[in-house]
Amino acid sequence: MKKVAIIMGSDSDFPIVSKAIKQLKDYEVPFEVHVMSAHRTPDEASEFAKNAIKNGFGVIIAAAGMAAHLGGVLAANTTLPVIGIPCKGPCFDGMDALLATVMMPTGIPVATVAVNGAANAAILAIQMLALSDETLAQKLVDNRKKMAETVVSKDKDIQSKVDEI
């Protein structure tokens, strides 16, 4: 199975990224986590992306706040899918990171999840890998079924509370 790379622009993004790590562990998907900056270590970030395919990666997740150019820098240097997680920073409620992540030029896409949406970034990466992995695809189906069962159960609980009023 291909690995997922999680690259954060700063170690301050780790509390957000930890939700992606949990999802990947739950699905037993191999991954690596690194800190690389689009601005402070651009050569290292570019080199990582250029070598990602030969190093066994299938998807790259890029988490960054503020200027949030990390996803774009990585995407510019690989043909692997890159998923951006715009991280809420000290100002603008993460809108700056969101806009910097989604506004990519034609030909260099970065799929983007919600601000701080690390869990969904991991699930999207898992869905991409599941295109060529039937076991992983079945885990996704099973998890969707479990989520639906949880909602049905909660609905029944609410109905009984409504009846008691």
Side-chain angles (χ1 to χ4, degrees), residues 71-72 74-82 102-111:
L74 296 169
N77 287 286
T78 187
T79 56
L80 288 177
V82 175
V102 299
M103 297 304 295
M104 293 299 300
T106 300
I108 311 294
V110 174

Side-chain angles (χ1 to χ4, degrees), residues 26 40 61 65 79 92 98 113 120-121 129 152 157 165:
D26 287 350
R40 294 178 294 261
I61 296 173
T79 56
F92 304 118
L98 175 63
V113 295
N120 268 352
L129 295 177
V152 169
D157 290 345
I165 297 176

Side-chain angles (χ1 to χ4, degrees), residues 10-79:
S10 168
D11 63 346
S12 65
D13 298 324
F14 187 75
I16 294 163
V17 166
S18 66
K19 294 173 184 158
I21 293 169
K22 182 182 180 333
Q23 289 294 323
L24 293 170
K25 284 184 174 184
D26 287 350
Y27 280 89
E28 300 176 332
V29 172
F31 64 91
E32 290 182 17
V33 180
H34 299 282
V35 176
M36 294 178 194
S37 170
H39 302 105
R40 294 178 294 261
T41 59
D43 294 337
E44 289 83 351
S46 296
E47 200 61 31
F48 182 89
K50 287 176 185 175
N51 292 302
I53 293 171
K54 81 173 184 185
N55 289 330
F57 293 97
V59 181
I60 298 173
I61 296 173
M66 297 169 58
H69 295 116
L70 184 59
V73 167
L74 296 169
N77 287 286
T78 187
T79 56

Side-chain angles (χ1 to χ4, degrees), residues 122-137:
I123 293 168
L124 181 56
I126 292 164
Q127 289 175 325
M128 291 172 178
L129 295 177
L131 291 171
S132 60
D133 185 319
E134 289 181 25
T135 302
L136 199 52

